[in-house]
Amino acid sequence: MSELHTDRLVLRQWRAADLAPWAAMNADPEVREHLGDLLTREQSDASVARFQAEFDARGYGWWAVEVRATGEFIGFAGLDVVDDDLPFTGVEIGWRLARAAWGQGYATEAARRVLTHGFDALGLPEVLAVTTATNHRSQAVMGRIGMTRVPEYDFDDPAAPEGPLRPNVVYRIGQDAPR
């Protein structure tokens, strides 16, 4: 499995030491605000096992993100195949960071590196991003990395309950876009 590096971050394979801070993130209502229910420790650990299995099968997926200077785990960033139940297909970029890491440019930095990997190493023709219509922080990152909204792809998530988690927006960037 490849590691990706930026000036301040390392995107790497998951480690056992990541499980506790990952579980804390998944139990944080602010981190999960646009994602749905909080996860138990068991659900959180199972998600990392899925991430690893999918990465091993495809050669890409969700990398653990750590701060290069300290080695601190701060979340994840990566690529995933769009869920089967969505009204479009493709590969999606995403990120999730611990609250202490918000507002420092880490999501944008990690996402730019992931895009470069997706286009240059994987040869993806385009990358999509999906979030709730109310997740303005993630939409701002999408804009900063050169993505544009595709309103005709916007959809109501059938798995989400009625309310703010149901309406979703979609952004895209093509391989030929300036980065």
Side-chain angles (χ1 to χ4, degrees):
M1 176 191 314
S2 62
E3 265 191 5
L4 305 179
H5 298 265
T6 72
D7 288 343
R8 301 182 300 157
L9 303 173
V10 177
L11 285 70
R12 57 157 175 79
Q13 185 173 348
W14 291 78
R15 300 177 184 147
D18 301 331
L19 295 177
W22 175 246
M25 285 177 56
N26 286 312
D28 183 331
E30 286 187 69
V31 172
R32 300 280 311 168
E33 177 183 3
H34 300 284
L35 301 167
D37 294 335
L38 302 180
L39 300 184
T40 66
R41 174 64 190 255
E42 294 75 22
Q43 291 168 319
S44 185
D45 288 356
S47 71
V48 171
R50 278 193 314 278
F51 299 160
Q52 189 64 50
E54 291 167 354
F55 210 119
D56 292 345
R58 287 195 304 256
Y60 65 88
W62 303 117
W63 284 274
V65 176
E66 73 176 40
V67 176
R68 185 182 262 198
T70 64
E72 176 189 8
F73 169 87
I74 60 168
F76 83 5
L79 299 165
D80 195 11
V81 175
V82 170
D83 289 339
D84 290 336
D85 60 345
L86 297 184
F88 48 85
T89 61
V91 174
E92 173 184 5
I93 190 171
W95 47 84
R96 188 177 319 157
L97 299 180
R99 269 189 296 141
W102 292 1
Q104 299 179 52
Y106 291 142
T108 300
E109 188 173 329
R112 283 188 175 127
R113 183 64 186 96
V114 168
L115 275 181
T116 298
H117 181 76
F119 291 138
D120 295 350
L122 302 176
L124 298 173
E126 76 171 2
V127 174
L128 303 171
V130 177
T131 192
T132 60
T134 57
N135 190 346
H136 302 295
R137 287 188 306 263
S138 278
Q139 290 178 54
V141 172
M142 293 168 193
R144 284 194 293 274
I145 64 173
M147 301 185 95
T148 56
R149 184 151 171 219
V150 188
E152 62 269 25
Y153 283 12
D154 292 354
F155 66 98
D156 285 344
D157 184 350
E162 284 295 331
L165 298 182
R166 185 161 277 205
N168 279 248
V169 296
V170 180
Y171 284 67
R172 75 165 294 280
I173 186 169
Q175 185 178 48
D176 56 348
R179 293 180 252 151

